[in-house]
Amino acid sequence: DLHAAVFLAHPNGFIAARTKALIEASKEAREKGKASTRCAQDCCVTDVPLPGVTLLALSRDQSVLAACTGSEIQFFSATSLLTDKDIKPSSSCSMGRSGTVKDFKWLDNASIVLSNGGLLSHGSLGQGLKDVDAVDCSKDGNHIAVARKNSLRILTPDLKETCCMALLFQLWPDSDSEGTDIKVDSIGWVRDDSIVVGCVRLNEESNEEDYLVKVIRSGGDTFFESSSKPVVLRCDVSRGIRNDILPSGVGPNLLLGYLHRWDLLVVTNKKSTDDHISLLKWPSRTDEERTVVYLEMVEDRYSPRIDLQENDDDNVILGFGVENVSLFQKITVLVGPEQKEVAPQHLLLCLTSEGKLIIYYLAR
């Protein structure tokens, strides 16, 4: 979201585009329908040729963009992409024999990389922590949360453990069923006091079945208060999961966007073919209630929907982002019998499996 910009991967590389230009192109495409020939590349500032991009990550100060392809990671100056149209990377590194990049996260002054073989590395991609299933960083970039050996561990940037808590898979119905195993697919450290954990159940053939989302809340304001006891909450947000629509083991599948102004989490799953987007609500800071609740959209007309593909096959969201910036216009909504003008405070961007970018306003 540097200078209200969006970075999008496509089969032959990735583009840098201004958010406003994408919104205008999206409106034109909606008005013209199938007659529209506009695509995101038509309104991009820069188109970088880099086949096989699987992950894009912008640094916390929004100065550097990491682009991951297989075992390679290339770093680009975000300013150069948007102002100088410079498509050359400023640096690069490789995981070598450690495998391909499964996930990449920015710390405050560094980055960490998780390989598909479960090796968590940082800095120069040397020796790291093995047997890691999923990873995320705290909002200040000074701590790392990892799922490892049926536990959630919090580490310092140099991978020293400061906290460990067991993951209670008993919250999953029939979790003791013979021939099944449960594994963490995704972690999202969405608030100082809350970590979202997405789990999958593996059958005897190691294929993924079902999906469970849990929220681990600290008893205090952070996970580092000695007197705080974490609370584990189950959230029924993974609806319409189709296990065979993506291969097993290609996660993380859980995509999250936290809206701090409203204490609201936008949730989607790459394997969800129905009810693609869900909302979880945290109580206000002054509320003593610790429960996280699922919000149901009452008005269908304002519910974010992802239509079937043009060939009527199921559609899924593969890329997802929430932009917390000032937007460019007010919109009119119907509230009961009245029309009201509201100023959206967020944008929701969804990249579908057929390569379409769908943009929603988020207003309240």
Side-chain angles (χ1 to χ4, degrees):
D1 56 6
L2 178 77
H3 307 310
V6 178
F7 300 97
L8 293 166
H10 58 78
N12 298 313
F14 69 89
I15 64 170
R18 299 290 182 190
T19 307
K20 188 173 183 179
L22 287 174
I23 292 174
E24 294 305 317
S26 177
K27 288 179 180 178
E28 180 185 319
R30 184 180 61 182
E31 291 169 1
K32 292 185 176 180
K34 293 184 178 180
S36 172
T37 58
R38 293 294 299 274
C39 69
Q41 285 168 284
D42 294 336
C43 50
C44 71
V45 177
T46 310
D47 192 349
V48 180
L50 188 65
V53 174
T54 56
L55 192 153
L56 295 171
L58 190 63
S59 62
R60 291 176 178 273
D61 62 3
Q62 302 185 1
S63 64
V64 180
L65 181 74
C68 304
T69 59
S71 61
E72 305 289 325
I73 306 169
Q74 300 196 37
F75 300 93
F76 297 83
S77 164
T79 301
S80 296
L81 288 170
L82 289 165
T83 59
D84 304 328
K85 301 184 180 181
D86 185 1
I87 63 173
K88 294 181 180 178
S90 56
S91 63
S92 63
C93 60
S94 174
M95 300 198 72
R97 296 181 179 179
S98 298
T100 58
V101 176
K102 179 179 181 180
D103 208 352
F104 179 100
K105 302 291 182 182
W106 285 102
L107 296 170
D108 190 24
N109 295 306
S111 60
I112 51 174
V113 185
L114 179 63
S115 76
N116 62 346
L119 177 67
L120 183 69
S121 308
H122 69 98
S124 59
L125 299 183
Q127 292 296 316
L129 191 66
K130 297 180 179 179
D131 302 320
V132 174
D133 294 322
V135 63
D136 199 13
C137 303
S138 60
K139 296 299 105 180
D140 60 7
N142 291 323
H143 289 87
I144 304 165
V146 300
R148 185 171 185 252
K149 297 180 178 179
N150 293 340
S151 63
L152 180 69
R153 304 163 190 248
I154 296 178
L155 316 174
T156 61
D158 56 358
L159 304 185
K160 292 182 180 178
E161 187 175 304
T162 63
C163 176
C164 179
M165 59 195 87
L167 290 172
L168 303 176
F169 290 131
Q170 288 79 4
L171 287 178
W172 198 317
D174 304 323
S175 60
D176 295 328
S177 298
E178 187 176 349
T180 63
D181 189 19
I182 297 171
K183 184 177 181 179
V184 174
D185 165 76
S186 310
I187 290 178
W189 198 335
V190 295
R191 293 167 36 124
D192 291 339
D193 66 351
S194 301
I195 296 175
V196 179
V197 180
C199 308
V200 292
R201 180 157 50 181
L202 305 179
N203 61 21
E204 294 177 344
E205 289 77 35
S206 296
N207 293 321
E208 295 174 0
E209 295 180 344
D210 304 326
Y211 206 95
L212 175 70
V213 175
K214 297 191 290 184
V215 176
I216 301 176
R217 292 207 65 185
S218 166
D221 293 331
T222 72
F223 284 95
F224 309 109
E225 299 173 26
S226 58
S227 60
S228 67
K229 184 178 180 181
V231 177
V232 181
L233 309 168
R234 177 178 174 177
C235 301
D236 185 21
V237 297
S238 292
R239 305 179 181 191
I241 297 295
R242 181 176 156 189
N243 299 309
D244 61 348
I245 201 161
L246 292 174
S248 294
V250 299
N253 290 311
L254 199 63
L255 304 175
L256 309 170
Y258 192 76
L259 313 179
H260 291 273
R261 296 177 190 174
W262 302 333
D263 295 315
L264 196 66
L265 183 70
V266 187
V267 185
T268 188
N269 192 304
K270 293 180 182 178
K271 291 192 172 186
S272 178
T273 59
D274 189 22
D275 289 338
H276 292 87
I277 297 166
S278 302
L279 301 176
L280 292 179
K281 180 71 172 71
W282 268 249
S284 65
R285 297 284 180 180
T286 58
D287 196 334
E288 295 182 2
E289 179 62 52
R290 310 295 292 172
T291 304
V292 177
V293 296
Y294 169 79
L295 294 186
E296 185 174 355
M297 301 288 268
V298 177
E299 288 277 1
D300 271 350
R301 79 183 82 185
Y302 297 131
S303 298
R305 300 291 184 191
I306 306 299
D307 293 331
L308 295 174
Q309 297 185 44
E310 290 185 1
N311 61 4
D312 291 333
D313 283 352
D314 285 330
N315 212 349
V316 295
I317 296 175
L318 297 181
F320 181 78
V322 176
E323 189 167 307
N324 303 305
V325 296
S326 298
L327 302 178
F328 310 105
Q329 68 177 66
K330 290 187 176 181
I331 59 174
T332 301
V333 298
L334 192 64
V335 181
E338 296 181 47
Q339 284 193 337
K340 292 190 177 182
E341 201 174 55
V342 296
Q345 294 170 293
H346 304 278
L347 278 182
L348 176 61
L349 301 104
C350 305
L351 184 64
T352 70
S353 55
E354 58 180 343
K356 288 186 177 180
L357 179 68
I358 300 174
I359 305 175
Y360 288 101
Y361 288 123
L362 284 160
R364 194 179 185 190

